[in-house]
Amino acid sequence: MRKHIVAGNWKMNLTFSEADELVGAIMDKLEQVTLDPDTRMIICPPFPYLEMVSDYGDDSYFTVGAQNVSDQEKGAYTGEVSAAMLESMELDYCIVGHSERRAYYHETDAIVAAKVNQLLAHNISPIVCCGEVLEEREAERQFEVVKRQVVEGLFHLTAEQMGNVVIAYEPVWAIGTGKTATPQQAQEMHAFIRSLIAEKYGKEVADETSILYGGSCKPSNAKELFANPDVDGGLIGGASLKADDFVAIAEAF
Ligand code: PGA
């Protein structure tokens, strides 16, 4: 069966020593609790801290992922980080197509698709984000928007490649706003995404694909969200910066 995943996206937060302290606190907390054995925790720190966080590494606690990757293989792309570099650091996951990257850095579905290709070619599972903005939800266009993002970003893949993809549904109006999608809204969209995958790749691939919810997920709402049959975990921003909250969310399974 598909994995339960609780992934922390630190975004552009924390100094090196604050980051070090946070991982230490997460490790301490994880030693005190017993998580469901099917729950995988992932921490996605900024690039300069990847090695430090990996060094805490014991995959039985958490695995490490990046927040972004270049759409190019290698060469003269100042400031970029390639999938080959991430692979050489033995990272397992990388977030792609986060709404902040789409909005502030003009990432199109085609760029998202190119990044997904880079990651899969280097044995890294992409965590591909999709989600509508407020005006789109108000105009009841959320299904059309998410369908476009999923189809254009992913549906060029083979079924085997699709088996290595994680999807995160993050309604943009819920990210960092304190507003959360209701469990019904999340379930409805997750079931829709799974039906798109089933149509294209068959039920088996769809049933194996983890679909995470993101957007103001916190200890007080995680249980209700994760109780839905098609919600397989969360991509956590703000609450992943607090060890207690992050681990409490993982305990919600
Ligand atoms: P948030 O962010 O939990 O702070 O809303 C989620 C995300 O952007 O991944």
Side-chain angles (χ1 to χ4, degrees):
M1 244 340 241
R2 55 185 179 260
K3 290 182 206 84
H4 289 160
I5 294 174
V6 174
N9 173 11
W10 289 0
K11 308 191 180 181
M12 196 173 74
N13 291 298
L14 308 173
T15 62
F16 187 86
S17 61
E18 288 165 349
D20 193 9
E21 218 171 280
L22 176 58
V23 198
I26 291 170
M27 294 282 287
D28 287 348
K29 202 75 209 155
L30 285 173
E31 272 161 22
Q32 294 160 27
V33 301
T34 313
L35 295 184
D36 178 310
D38 293 329
T39 302
R40 170 170 299 187
M41 292 188 82
I42 304 172
I43 298 180
C44 302
F47 287 129
Y49 309 158
L50 282 171
E51 187 165 8
M52 179 272 285
V53 178
S54 298
D55 280 351
Y56 269 88
D58 171 350
D59 276 3
S60 56
Y61 288 101
F62 57 79
T63 47
V64 182
Q67 296 176 18
N68 185 28
V69 69
S70 174
D71 58 340
Q72 302 293 325
E73 175 68 26
K74 67 185 283 194
Y77 299 98
T78 301
E80 290 291 287
V81 171
S82 71
M85 294 174 186
L86 301 179
E87 182 185 29
S88 72
M89 296 182 70
E90 297 175 3
L91 294 193
D92 296 318
Y93 292 93
C94 179
I95 299 169
V96 184
H98 192 280
S99 62
E100 287 149 17
R101 300 233 34 112
R102 292 178 190 260
Y104 308 144
Y105 303 99
H106 316 294
E107 264 182 34
T108 60
D109 293 324
I111 295 175
V112 171
K115 292 185 173 194
V116 166
N117 293 345
Q118 283 295 329
L119 290 168
L120 290 172
H122 290 281
N123 305 307
I124 297 168
S125 289
I127 301 174
V128 181
C129 303
C130 56
E132 79 285 358
V133 300
L134 184 61
E135 301 81 75
E136 291 162 341
R137 165 123 339 225
E138 284 174 348
E140 293 181 11
R141 291 183 51 227
Q142 66 270 27
F143 295 108
E144 166 200 332
V145 170
V146 168
K147 180 175 181 180
R148 191 206 73 226
Q149 292 170 336
V150 169
V151 169
E152 310 260 313
L154 292 172
F155 279 9
H156 59 287
L157 300 176
T158 64
E160 196 191 337
Q161 288 176 313
M162 193 63 195
N164 291 314
V165 170
V166 175
I167 295 179
Y169 168 59
E170 302 203 298
V172 181
W173 46 271
I175 296 178
T177 56
K179 276 190 210 148
T180 318
T182 64
Q184 293 73 15
Q185 285 171 325
Q187 169 57 26
E188 190 184 26
M189 184 59 84
H190 284 226
F192 173 71
I193 294 169
R194 202 177 305 285
S195 75
L196 294 175
I197 301 169
E199 241 169 69
K200 169 83 180 166
Y201 295 104
K203 189 170 174 334
E204 206 176 308
V205 175
D207 283 345
E208 286 297 317
T209 305
S210 298
I211 307 177
L212 317 183
Y213 168 80
S216 299
C217 186
K218 41 189 182 259
S220 58
N221 59 26
K223 229 185 176 76
E224 256 193 320
L225 286 161
F226 298 173
N228 290 286
D230 287 296
V231 179
D232 307 312
L235 180 55
I236 321 297
S240 75
L241 298 170
K242 294 184 197 123
D244 286 359
D245 286 1
F246 187 47
V247 175
I249 291 170
E251 284 184 279
F253 276 115

